[in-house]
Amino acid sequence: MSIDPYRRLGRGYDRHRRPDPRIHQAIARAVGDAATVANVGAGPGAYELAATVLAVEPSPTMIAQRPAGAAPVVRARAEAIPLRDGAVDTALAVLTVHHWTDPAAGLAELVRVSRRQVILTWDPEVFARELWLVADYLPQIAAAERPLACLTTITDELARHDRRVDVRAVPVPADCRDGFLGAFWRRPHSYLDPTVRAGASGLASLSPEVAGPALQRLADDLATGRWHASHRHLLDLDELDLGYRLVLATAR
Ligand SMILES: C[S@@+](CC[C@H](N)C(=O)[O-])C[C@H]1O[C@@H](n2cnc3c(N)ncnc32)[C@H](O)[C@@H]1O
């Protein structure tokens, strides 16, 4: 396991990706009264729950950012989880499946090691339509994300394992504390901040040739009031459905 894609993108990740309490609550509600949880693709542990008995994470950069007192972590991939069959009540995977080399193998592992699976992912169609940054300025983000394993790949794969699947929307609060790509939908100036962009892999991985002109257009639209004129309807909303989804799976 020598390649660590988070060696560059993951530095300072814990500063950008602070857990949002409302999203944390939605995850906690989905996990329910599970006594034992394995957090797979755990990163620094932003949404770790008290019942977490093991965090599974391949990146040493991410592991190094786990705070003292976080759940015990093993350096491993979702595709080969070092747990016996049915070892935990729930396997949790938060915004990670799209990073896995072999999502089908990783999802099979979640099903093998746990009775229930809870996965936070997104619906790319809703995302590309509802997040103005993508729809109006950077459709390249949607194009780059199209091949990624997200909602339908995950639900189809879990159905193949004979799971009963329930999908819940997770709206993004207007003042979301987390720094993922959709978090700043009502704070458009934030996307002009390089620190904010560095925390959202969908933006951070764009080339300067693509990101530069689009962000300049956003800066101009903000300066002239054009952005506010065309997005006025967003300014009174406290939360917005950008397509983030919790997938809950159990045996049929
Ligand atoms: C966007 S981060 C999410 C981290 C954490 N779940 C959170 O919400 O803050 C994606 C994580 O998936 C991890 N990852 C990448 N490939 C993986 C794999 N094959 N198996 C498990 N985790 C993987 C990355 O190292 C990274 O920590």
Side-chain angles (χ1 to χ4, degrees):
M1 200 185 298
S2 55
I3 299 169
D4 178 6
Y6 268 94
R7 210 174 45 230
R8 182 176 61 82
L9 286 177
R11 282 197 209 108
Y13 178 96
D14 54 342
R15 283 198 305 279
H16 307 298
R17 291 286 323 278
R18 289 175 304 154
D20 180 85
R22 291 139 299 183
I23 297 175
H24 202 282
Q25 236 173 37
I27 293 172
R29 266 198 306 272
V31 168
D33 58 3
T36 52
V37 175
N39 187 14
V40 180
Y47 290 102
E48 222 142 82
L49 302 167
T52 307
V53 290
L54 187 69
V56 177
E57 170 55 51
S59 160
T61 311
M62 288 295 196
I63 290 174
Q65 295 175 54
R66 293 178 63 76
V73 60
V74 59
R75 188 176 170 209
R77 293 179 179 276
E79 293 86 341
I81 300 176
L83 285 174
R84 61 176 170 73
D85 296 2
V88 289
D89 291 333
T90 299
L92 175 67
V94 176
L95 296 176
T96 175
V97 176
H98 59 289
H99 287 285
W100 300 354
T101 317
D102 185 345
L107 291 164
E109 278 290 88
L110 296 192
V111 170
R112 181 184 67 76
V113 303
S114 64
R115 282 173 279 289
R116 292 180 74 237
Q117 297 76 42
V118 174
I119 298 167
L120 182 63
T121 182
W122 74 95
D123 179 333
E125 278 176 34
V126 179
F127 188 72
R129 192 181 63 230
E130 298 298 327
L131 183 58
W132 55 263
L133 181 72
V134 176
D136 302 345
Y137 294 90
L138 283 165
Q140 293 90 339
I141 293 179
E145 292 193 343
R146 206 159 289 134
L148 299 180
C150 36
L151 184 63
T152 327
T153 312
I154 293 170
T155 52
D156 286 356
E157 201 55 43
L158 290 169
R160 273 177 12 91
H161 289 277
D162 210 23
R163 304 267 103 190
R164 193 159 47 81
V165 175
D166 175 27
V167 177
R168 297 182 186 170
V170 181
V172 179
D175 58 350
C176 186
R177 284 191 66 201
D178 204 329
F180 54 75
L181 183 58
F184 303 94
W185 61 268
R186 214 183 73 181
R187 292 166 288 171
H189 288 89
S190 302
Y191 292 116
L192 302 178
D193 177 346
T195 323
V196 164
R197 294 203 299 273
S201 60
L203 266 174
S205 50
L206 292 176
S207 71
E209 292 74 31
V210 170
L215 293 169
Q216 186 55 54
R217 195 155 55 80
L218 172 60
D220 294 344
D221 287 352
L222 288 168
T224 58
R226 260 197 306 268
W227 185 90
H228 286 82
S230 49
H231 297 91
R232 206 178 300 285
H233 60 289
L234 295 178
L235 301 176
D236 292 330
L237 301 181
D238 293 329
E239 58 178 32
L240 185 65
D241 180 6
L242 293 174
Y244 291 98
R245 297 287 181 266
L246 267 170
V247 177
L248 283 64
T250 46
R252 273 186 204 280

